[in-house]
Amino acid sequence: MEGIQFLINGLIAGSIYALVAIGFALIYRVTKFFHFAHGAVLTIAAYSTYFFTAILKFPLLGAAIISVVIATFSGGMIDLLVYRPMRARKASSLVLLLASLGVFIVVQNFISLFFGDDPLSIRGGGIEIGVNIVGARIMIAQLRIVVASAILSAITAYALQATRFGKTLRAVANDRELALISGIDTERVIFYTFLLGSALAACAAILIALDSALTPLVSINILFMAIVAMIIGGAGSIIGSLAGGIFLGVVQNLTVWVIGSQWQITITFTILLLFLLFRPYGFLGRPKEARV
């Protein structure tokens, strides 16, 4: 039964990785660079939720909605004010990546300045027994994580395949120059993609805040795990990011069960290295091309 508990814990962690990875993958798909400021959006959402619930005493649902709006707006503004002028000057992916790191560091330090570095929590003080599933315990907040991640992933995958926006996003992702020649406003598509990816990150941040304490560095580990999940699932693939997140979460927690937590990060990056060596396009990617 102990193994089942670690398996469920892995599913919970993997659901968070997957949700962040999907938003990251969407943005990577249309911009072709690693948007590390995605972690800043996640941090903004988590601390906004804390501010509205713990300080202003808003109901959790209202605070969550406002936090998603704030984080989504923040992600859009990062693209509009930072990345778009750089794209207009034909900045390289490396320059954009460095800019994203700069944004991440600035936001992290502002969060630290206003909220301090001590762990903060929006959870109540009561002890939660949880739900028994085949001998393992799962808290209600953790159950919400799994369900919400599955629903949001399904909605995103459907939207990309069945909506006009999804089709234009895929067109821009496959060939931005051809999409522009075809009359697609590529900058608008990229902006909307940032909004969508940021909204997914915000939802993940709120789920994290409901289950664990917050620090200004709360997003760093989650972001790096999400990037690993995206790579091993297939860069730019929504279903691949979901599969990569679940796979990574389960492997990490089974590692803790079998050989101890001190090996968790080592195993994670060993898996990444093996994929980069033998299957660099991931689970569901294709050589030279990853599809949404």
Side-chain angles (χ1 to χ4, degrees):
M1 291 302 176
E2 187 179 2
I4 295 175
Q5 182 68 63
F6 279 98
L7 187 63
I8 290 177
N9 291 345
L11 179 62
I12 295 163
S15 297
I16 289 292
Y17 298 160
L19 198 54
V20 179
I22 289 171
F24 192 90
L26 284 172
I27 294 170
Y28 172 80
R29 190 79 169 95
V30 298
T31 62
K32 302 298 187 293
F33 83 97
F34 277 18
H35 170 52
F36 283 110
H38 202 59
V41 173
L42 195 151
T43 306
I44 289 170
Y47 273 87
S48 295
T49 306
Y50 171 81
F51 177 76
F52 286 108
T53 55
I55 298 177
L56 298 185
K57 306 300 181 183
F58 279 32
L60 179 59
L61 179 59
I65 293 172
I66 295 171
S67 298
V68 169
V69 172
I70 291 173
T72 301
F73 176 80
S74 299
M77 288 303 100
I78 290 171
D79 175 59
L80 199 62
L81 300 177
V82 180
Y83 300 145
R84 182 177 292 189
M86 291 184 173
R87 287 196 299 271
R89 295 195 296 268
K90 307 297 182 183
S92 66
S93 294
L94 177 59
V95 171
L96 290 168
L97 184 148
L98 292 174
S100 72
L101 283 172
V103 172
F104 179 80
I105 292 170
V106 169
V107 170
Q108 175 197 314
N109 280 277
F110 268 106
I111 292 291
S112 179
L113 177 65
F114 285 107
F115 292 96
D117 296 321
D118 294 333
L120 302 174
S121 177
I122 65 173
R123 293 177 296 173
I127 298 175
E128 186 180 356
I129 298 175
V131 179
N132 190 305
I133 300 179
V134 292
R137 288 283 175 183
I138 180 171
M139 303 298 107
I140 298 301
Q142 295 172 330
L143 192 59
R144 290 194 193 108
I145 289 173
V146 176
V147 173
S149 179
I151 292 173
L152 290 170
S153 299
I155 291 173
T156 303
Y158 174 79
L160 290 176
Q161 295 297 326
T163 66
R164 181 179 178 182
F165 169 71
K167 293 175 183 177
T168 55
L169 186 152
R170 286 185 284 129
V172 173
N174 289 332
D175 193 325
R176 191 189 304 179
E177 295 299 326
L178 181 59
L180 184 62
I181 294 172
S182 301
I184 296 174
D185 187 341
T186 56
E187 287 297 337
R188 177 178 293 182
V189 172
I190 292 172
F191 176 71
Y192 287 158
T193 304
F194 269 89
L195 294 180
L196 176 58
S198 299
L200 291 172
C203 292
I206 293 167
L207 294 171
I208 293 168
L210 291 173
D211 185 51
S212 58
L214 302 177
T215 70
L217 300 177
V218 64
S219 64
I220 289 182
N221 183 63
I222 299 295
L223 179 64
F224 277 111
M225 294 304 106
I227 293 172
V228 173
M230 183 194 76
I231 292 172
I232 67 178
S237 169
I238 302 307
I239 303 302
S241 295
L242 177 62
I246 299 300
F247 172 79
L248 186 60
V250 169
V251 169
Q252 283 184 336
N253 279 270
L254 290 180
T255 298
V256 172
W257 178 46
V258 176
I259 60 177
S261 60
Q262 69 271 23
W263 290 97
Q264 189 179 69
I265 299 299
T266 302
I267 294 297
T268 298
F269 284 96
T270 299
I271 292 171
L272 175 61
L273 181 60
L274 291 173
F275 268 89
L276 291 175
L277 287 173
F278 299 109
R279 194 176 174 87
Y281 41 89
F283 282 137
L284 301 180
R286 296 181 182 180
K288 297 184 181 179
E289 182 179 14
R291 299 188 180 274
V292 174

